[in-house]
Amino acid sequence: MVKYHSLFNFFLSPWSDRYMKIYHNLSRKDEQFMQLCASAALIFSTCGKRKYAAVLVDEFGHIVGMGYNGGPKNYLHCEEGGCPRLMQNSPSGSNYDDCIAVHAEANALLHSDYSARAKKIYVNGPPCFSCAKLIVNSTIDSVYYMHDESYENWDQVKTFLLSSSIMVVEVGRGSI
């Protein structure tokens, strides 16, 4: 079943059916990439607030990049006391100016072969606005993410992605 936020209906109605899909019937590969994100986040992420991983996939369904969230090199990891957001107990999706972590999406783009021209990104949580800007400026045309009720600014980020012709697919946690 496809649902739309009322703001999308007003501003994006001609594009909504094409770009916004929620609880989409996922292919086996889509499910596997989301499972990989969830597993990799638990193994590699060093963020004390949220464990995220991102997988970049090319047009042939091959993984061309991967990243997870954590502190920058030569700096204390979030879990080791390096994160001001963790110390301030900032709500999810807010106050990212104090976030020292390099986000999963950014790390995936940084540590991939750009010439591979990733078409899809899978993330086990919604991208923040800074990561959405990176996604829009890349070769990615589809974002698959798991919904997070506590993420405060997701509607604005989703509107930005949709208005930039990026397909957004919300994956229910029960789908994987």
Side-chain angles (χ1 to χ4, degrees):
M1 180 170 119
V2 178
K3 298 186 239 173
Y4 304 105
H5 187 277
S6 60
L7 182 64
F8 302 130
N9 287 336
F10 180 74
F11 288 110
L12 300 172
S13 58
W15 300 286
S16 293
D17 288 337
R18 181 171 173 203
Y19 292 111
M20 183 63 198
K21 297 181 181 178
I22 300 178
Y23 300 109
H24 185 278
N25 291 329
L26 299 178
S27 72
R28 181 173 173 264
K29 279 283 200 192
D30 291 332
E31 289 177 7
Q32 290 172 325
F33 292 135
M34 291 304 296
Q35 288 170 348
L36 180 58
C37 288
S39 297
L42 292 174
I43 296 167
F44 294 107
S45 174
T46 62
C47 179
K49 294 185 74 63
R50 292 283 189 267
K51 305 285 186 192
Y52 286 143
V55 175
L56 299 174
V57 176
D58 68 11
E59 65 184 306
F60 304 107
H62 299 131
I63 296 172
V64 295
M66 198 165 166
Y68 56 89
N69 60 335
K73 71 177 186 175
N74 301 323
Y75 198 82
L76 278 179
H77 289 288
C78 302
E79 295 174 328
E80 297 168 344
C83 180
R85 287 187 78 240
L86 184 60
M87 301 302 186
Q88 298 165 359
N89 199 25
S90 299
S92 178
S94 69
N95 202 18
Y96 278 118
D97 288 339
D98 289 341
C99 181
I100 61 116
V102 179
H103 290 188
E105 304 91 329
N107 264 328
L109 289 164
L110 279 169
H111 301 291
S112 68
D113 178 2
Y114 190 74
S115 67
R117 304 188 57 77
K119 299 304 275 175
K120 296 180 180 182
I121 187 167
Y122 296 83
V123 190
N124 64 310
C128 70
F129 188 67
S130 293
C131 290
K133 291 186 289 185
L134 294 173
I135 290 166
V136 167
N137 237 27
S138 73
T139 59
I140 294 167
D141 59 20
S142 301
V143 174
Y144 290 73
Y145 74 99
M146 286 185 194
H147 183 69
D148 180 350
E149 285 290 330
S150 66
Y151 185 65
E152 290 182 354
N153 299 323
W154 175 238
D155 285 341
Q156 293 89 353
V157 175
K158 185 167 42 175
T159 299
F160 173 73
L161 289 167
L162 291 169
S163 66
S164 300
S165 299
I166 303 293
M167 186 173 80
V168 178
V169 179
E170 180 180 301
V171 177
R173 294 195 183 274
S175 299
I176 63 162

